[in-house]
Amino acid sequence: MFRSFRRAPLLLCLLLALALTACRTQMSLTYQIDNGEQIKVELNSSDGHKLSQEEGLPAVKKDGETVLLCQFLQADGFDTYAAGLATSGDVTIFQASPEEDPAFYFYRYTGGGADEYLFLLRIPGAETGVLCGGTVSKEAAEDAYRHLTFSKEG
């Protein structure tokens, strides 16, 4: 009987560890950008989205399929993309808030043959921007993007 009481704390610790790992709903990656900034990418994975890397870039997957692939932009790259949105005939803008902090755009690009849904964001408090896009449906792209958070570290 004494022997089973000695195992009880060990069993309790194992069950607690299992419960804590099963409930993990946040995934994150941190990137060192060429301009010296550190950018943290976080994903709420509670509904099956997964954060991974493809060719060193952040990617959001669901059911094994890449939904969004992101790339970082320095300030001039962000400004170039944002300025080009208004003049491109292949772009339909769904949401634009260029005067807000952070500046944000959500749009569809149709020039590559397949519709691509893109999100352009200047990361709060950073010079760095991010462009995330995918050729999935508009709803799937929006759903994946809603689970992402970008922040400047340090």
Side-chain angles (χ1 to χ4, degrees):
M1 183 171 188
F2 180 68
R3 185 178 284 171
S4 64
F5 283 119
R6 286 193 324 190
R7 291 184 190 166
L10 178 60
L11 182 59
L12 184 60
C13 286
L14 287 173
L15 288 174
L16 182 60
L18 180 62
L20 289 175
T21 57
C23 296
R24 185 176 132 198
T25 59
Q26 283 292 114
M27 302 175 84
S28 68
L29 295 168
T30 302
Y31 292 86
Q32 184 70 39
I33 308 303
D34 290 342
N35 64 8
E37 293 180 324
Q38 273 194 313
I39 302 298
K40 184 175 186 178
V41 182
E42 293 181 281
L43 176 80
N44 177 327
S45 59
S46 61
D47 72 342
H49 287 92
K50 301 289 182 220
L51 183 62
S52 65
Q53 290 192 86
E54 289 186 15
E55 299 179 22
L57 300 172
V60 178
K61 294 185 175 198
K62 186 157 187 184
D63 300 327
E65 176 187 6
T66 300
V67 181
L68 294 177
L69 183 61
C70 303
Q71 69 179 39
F72 296 106
L73 305 169
Q74 293 192 23
D76 57 343
F78 178 91
D79 295 339
T80 300
Y81 268 97
L85 294 177
T87 59
S88 175
D90 296 327
V91 169
T92 303
I93 298 175
F94 300 115
Q95 185 179 351
S97 54
E99 303 304 319
E100 306 240 341
D101 186 24
F104 173 79
Y105 300 86
F106 172 43
Y107 61 99
R108 179 181 64 218
Y109 175 72
T110 57
D115 287 357
E116 188 171 2
Y117 294 94
L118 298 131
F119 302 86
L120 179 63
L121 170 76
R122 185 174 315 267
I123 296 168
E127 292 294 316
T128 302
V130 64
L131 177 67
C132 297
T135 55
V136 295
S137 70
K138 179 182 179 198
E139 294 77 18
E142 285 179 296
D143 186 42
Y145 186 79
R146 258 193 306 273
H147 289 80
L148 279 172
T149 305
F150 297 91
S151 60
K152 180 180 175 185
E153 294 287 288

